[in-house]
Amino acid sequence: MNKRTVIVSGGMIEEEFALGILNDEDTEVIIGVDKGLMFLYEHGINPNYIVGDFDSASGEVLEYYRGKNIPMRKFNPVKDASDTEIALRLCMDLRRKHILIIGGTGLRMDHTWANVQSLKLALDAGADARIVDSHNQIRLLNQDFVLRRAEAFGPYFSVFPLGMSVTDFNISGAKYPLSHHTLTPYNSLCVSNEFAGEKVEISFPYGEVILMETKD
């Protein structure tokens, strides 16, 4: 089984939750992204790579990590991609297949939404990339999927189309099943569904959807 890569971005980082992931034996590669470097520095964690425009990380922190000879990619603040997207592109260059993004959610909904859309880079490359915080796990799907209660992030799940409407969309094994439905970006029908049994099956012939697993 491939070990995972953790991207530490500059949004909301919950200390206990984040450290549990970063210190887990399944975490093999850590990428520090701009303001996310502050969290790593404060907890004595050396990332394997550093990326960003560094408009949020302090000079002291950057000098500290330069002294560790950690590969660092600095970008002009006037750029065409978010720092998190740049980190995901690095993961694709490194052929990383299992990716968690912490600090990908927070007060700035524009940043959160940009991060969700950036997950398509990983999806297109055949990688499993997820944005996680203590209450949410967000990923993209482009094929049929089975969600098992024992492995679910939380008791609730929601599904939204990414971009175009998705026709012939089906959910079985859920409290609110669907059959041959057209999933559109313009309604909230598929918000806060729940398990009816031990597994939920999601199927659709084409397109991409956002799957959010959540808990209170």
Side-chain angles (χ1 to χ4, degrees):
M1 179 179 177
N2 292 328
K3 297 281 189 174
R4 70 182 169 211
T5 300
V6 178
I7 295 173
V8 184
S9 196
M12 175 184 66
I13 302 179
E14 302 154 294
E15 184 175 36
E16 183 177 357
F17 179 81
L19 291 177
I21 292 172
L22 291 167
N23 293 325
D24 189 276
E25 63 180 11
D26 286 336
T27 296
E28 182 178 47
V29 174
I30 298 172
I31 301 176
V33 180
D34 208 340
K35 190 178 178 182
L37 277 178
M38 300 296 293
F39 181 86
L40 297 175
Y41 176 75
E42 290 166 0
H43 292 87
I45 298 172
N46 291 331
N48 301 90
Y49 300 90
I50 294 170
V51 302
D53 55 28
F54 307 134
D55 60 349
S56 301
S58 72
E60 175 187 355
V61 171
L62 292 175
E63 285 304 312
Y64 172 81
Y65 283 121
R66 284 193 184 100
K68 297 288 185 180
N69 294 316
I70 296 171
M72 187 178 296
R73 298 187 182 185
K74 186 177 188 303
F75 294 82
N76 191 312
V78 182
K79 59 188 188 303
D80 296 327
S82 69
D83 290 331
T84 303
E85 180 181 330
I86 289 169
L88 272 171
R89 291 187 181 279
L90 173 59
C91 288
M92 301 304 98
D93 291 343
L94 298 171
R95 301 184 184 278
R96 305 302 298 183
K97 292 298 184 181
H98 301 281
I99 305 158
L100 289 183
I101 301 171
I102 57 178
T105 59
L107 297 177
R108 289 285 301 271
M109 288 305 300
D110 54 341
H111 289 178
T112 300
W113 184 237
N115 292 338
V116 171
Q117 293 186 105
S118 293
L119 293 177
K120 192 170 188 306
L121 293 169
L123 185 73
D124 290 345
D128 177 6
R130 310 178 189 189
I131 298 170
V132 291
D133 60 36
S134 64
H135 293 275
N136 307 279
Q137 177 173 266
I138 306 168
R139 63 178 124 172
L140 304 184
L141 306 176
N142 61 2
Q143 60 186 352
D144 297 353
F145 185 76
V146 176
L147 183 62
R148 302 185 187 280
R149 185 194 291 267
E151 301 168 357
F153 186 82
Y156 310 109
F157 68 94
S158 301
V159 187
F160 309 93
L162 182 70
M164 297 173 55
S165 296
V166 176
T167 59
D168 198 19
F169 180 80
N170 306 279
I171 299 176
S172 61
K175 183 176 180 179
Y176 307 108
L178 282 176
S179 180
H180 305 294
H181 176 70
T182 298
L183 191 65
T184 75
Y186 313 118
N187 67 59
S188 55
L189 178 66
C190 291
V191 172
S192 297
N193 210 333
E194 302 177 44
F195 288 85
E198 292 308 308
K199 68 178 182 179
V200 165
E201 297 184 51
I202 298 172
S203 65
F204 51 99
Y206 67 89
E208 293 96 17
V209 301
I210 305 164
L211 173 64
M212 297 187 180
E213 298 170 63
T214 56
K215 54 189 172 184
D216 293 327

